[in-house]
Amino acid sequence: MKVYALLISFFALAACSGSDDEPIVPTVPTPERTYYRGMDLSFQSELESYDPVYRDAAGATVNLLDFVESAGTNLVRLKLWHTSEDGQNTLAQVLAYAQKIKQHNMAFMLDIHYSDTWADPSHQTPPAAWQGLTQEQLQTEVFDYTKSVLTAFKNQGTAPAFVQIGNETDSGFLWDYGRVWDAFDDNWPNYAALVSKAIDAVREVNGNDTKVILHHSKVENAVYFFTELQPFALDFDVIGLSYYPQFQTKNLITVQTKLNELAATFDKEIMIVEVAYPFTFEWDDNLTNYIGSADQIIGAYPATPQGQRDFMGRIDNIVKSIPNDKGIGWVYWAPDWVAFDGNETTTTGGSSWENQALWDFDHKALPAMGVFTP
């Protein structure tokens, strides 16, 4: 009987160890990654008052947002100035345009310059309202301002998917409080403290629903910048970069290598938040353009409609191929900044960008628009 009982126990255990009786562990699906092909439309609030006409490739008049959404654009970037010197890019204007973006089912990126005008590596001027503050007072202002801005967007149902803490902050921002260039190269703790306060405000309002971007102006120099920030363990999500061949390396293999190095070194998502390329060296108004000669571009991609399209296709492939899905997209800067009636008045000064727009001089959509199609 004992042997019989033991046999029964053995077979029972064997049966329980069979694959049919093993607990089934449910597979949790990996969320599908969104890859962004975006446009910076920060000029639209101003351009709309002049009612420029935009056309599709066949010449039919289109509504700009309807058209870019249908072309595949899934992200719109807008810059915000604190107390605008020229009445543009104000909080009220950006709030209003964010509502239009939401109505078109596109994500929204907010680029806070923390200045009353353009901020870039050579210009990081604090708002006039913040002049003369102590470092501690400025940190409080940065937190309160960021919180009030994010709250305003949240309250109207347009919380941004991404927010930039400063624009092209290679040199730091809010000079000289957070300056890190030249004689201020030991000032990284102050820069990091200011950025940290802004991030704290984003997290308080939107938690992790809004991804935080830190923005550097040059792909090839960004490793140094983010290495300097590592000791401060800043709570940001995305390395944002500008890439303009006019000002940077023209070797796209170097661009690819540096993007891969950034992703591997810092374990952050990567996005090129500013990129553009000319389709001609000609101009359509009386204002000098930023690009006008062959030495400013990449020889393999001439300043033609097809050259512009091929360049953007290559950029798209480079970002998509960053290992481990760290490359999450790119944003074309000012594709809508065409020449238009009234653009040579003292009000606007014209467009210095119409030969890098995504509409030609007849305002017909260019072939590069096809790169936005998934």
Side-chain angles (χ1 to χ4, degrees):
M1 291 295 293
K2 289 182 178 180
V3 173
Y4 182 74
L6 286 171
L7 288 172
I8 292 175
S9 299
F10 174 80
F11 287 118
L13 287 171
C16 289
S17 66
S19 60
D20 289 343
D21 293 319
E22 290 178 356
I24 298 173
V25 179
T27 301
V28 179
T30 302
E32 185 176 348
R33 181 182 72 128
T34 299
Y35 183 81
Y36 294 96
R37 295 177 174 90
M39 294 184 175
D40 188 311
L41 299 179
S42 295
F43 283 104
Q44 265 305 294
S45 292
E46 177 183 359
L47 290 172
E48 284 180 342
S49 64
Y50 294 93
D51 198 24
V53 174
Y54 295 93
R55 308 179 193 279
D56 63 19
T61 301
V62 296
N63 171 275
L64 184 136
L65 283 178
D66 288 345
F67 179 71
V68 301
E69 180 193 5
S70 67
T73 304
N74 59 357
L75 175 68
V76 175
R77 179 180 186 249
L78 301 175
K79 65 177 175 283
L80 174 65
W81 291 337
H82 184 280
T83 306
S84 175
E85 293 179 353
D86 64 1
Q88 302 302 323
N89 307 110
T90 66
L91 180 58
Q93 290 170 338
V94 179
L95 282 166
Y97 208 78
Q99 290 180 317
K100 296 180 181 181
I101 295 167
K102 182 178 180 180
Q103 291 165 3
H104 285 81
N105 300 310
M106 293 183 284
F108 164 43
M109 178 189 294
L110 178 63
D111 175 15
I112 308 177
H113 279 228
Y114 294 91
S115 182
D116 293 337
T117 186
W118 297 96
D120 57 44
S122 299
H123 310 87
Q124 297 285 340
T125 305
W130 295 356
Q131 299 290 336
L133 301 179
T134 66
Q135 186 78 25
E136 292 72 22
Q137 289 171 332
L138 184 61
Q139 289 179 25
T140 299
E141 288 291 340
V142 167
F143 177 88
D144 290 345
Y145 169 67
T146 308
K147 181 179 178 180
S148 68
V149 166
L150 269 293
T151 299
F153 285 101
K154 183 176 183 178
N155 286 346
Q156 72 167 17
T158 59
F162 301 92
V163 61
Q164 279 186 219
I165 305 304
N167 188 75
E168 294 187 333
T169 60
D170 320 10
S171 57
F173 78 146
L174 295 168
W175 286 358
D176 287 329
Y177 298 95
R179 187 169 183 163
V180 295
W181 272 10
D182 303 326
F184 296 85
D185 59 0
D186 61 350
N187 202 34
W188 290 94
N190 283 334
Y191 169 79
L194 291 165
V195 171
S196 183
K197 287 295 184 181
I199 295 173
D200 287 347
V202 175
R203 300 304 186 208
E204 183 169 317
V205 177
N206 290 337
N208 293 319
D209 292 338
T210 292
K211 290 187 176 183
V212 173
I213 299 174
L214 298 186
H215 180 198
H216 194 282
S217 73
K218 290 189 177 179
V219 171
E220 64 264 40
N221 296 340
V223 170
Y224 165 77
F225 175 81
F226 288 99
T227 298
E228 289 292 325
L229 288 180
Q230 271 191 310
F232 304 102
L234 294 173
D235 180 23
F236 72 102
D237 305 289
V238 180
I239 291 174
L241 301 160
S242 298
Y243 178 58
Y244 299 108
Q246 176 186 4
F247 303 115
Q248 301 183 42
T249 179
K250 295 177 176 61
N251 187 328
L252 291 179
I253 294 176
T254 298
V255 172
Q256 177 75 79
T257 300
K258 287 298 184 180
L259 291 175
N260 292 352
E261 182 182 357
L262 283 163
T265 304
F266 303 105
D267 193 29
K268 299 289 184 181
E269 294 178 326
I270 308 286
M271 182 182 287
I272 296 180
V273 296
E274 292 187 25
V275 63
Y277 205 77
F279 66 89
T280 182
F281 291 138
E282 300 299 319
W283 58 90
D284 195 27
D285 59 19
N286 291 327
L287 187 68
T288 301
N289 291 333
Y290 284 100
I291 287 183
S293 62
D295 62 342
Q296 296 175 296
I297 64 171
I298 300 171
Y301 302 94
T304 64
Q306 189 60 44
Q308 182 190 53
R309 197 256 182 248
D310 291 343
F311 170 81
M312 285 309 304
R314 179 73 184 280
I315 292 298
D316 184 52
N317 287 332
I318 286 173
V319 175
K320 284 191 296 187
S321 67
I322 295 173
N324 301 317
D325 285 340
K326 293 298 184 183
I328 62 170
W330 45 267
V331 177
Y332 197 98
W333 197 82
D336 57 325
W337 195 13
V338 295
F340 55 94
D341 288 342
N343 68 335
E344 294 170 54
T345 68
T346 56
T347 303
T348 65
S351 173
S352 54
W353 203 259
E354 76 270 17
N355 67 329
Q356 295 190 73
L358 293 180
W359 280 267
D360 67 15
F361 293 169
D362 294 320
H363 295 188
K364 293 181 181 179
L366 286 158
M369 200 69 72
V371 181
F372 290 82
T373 303

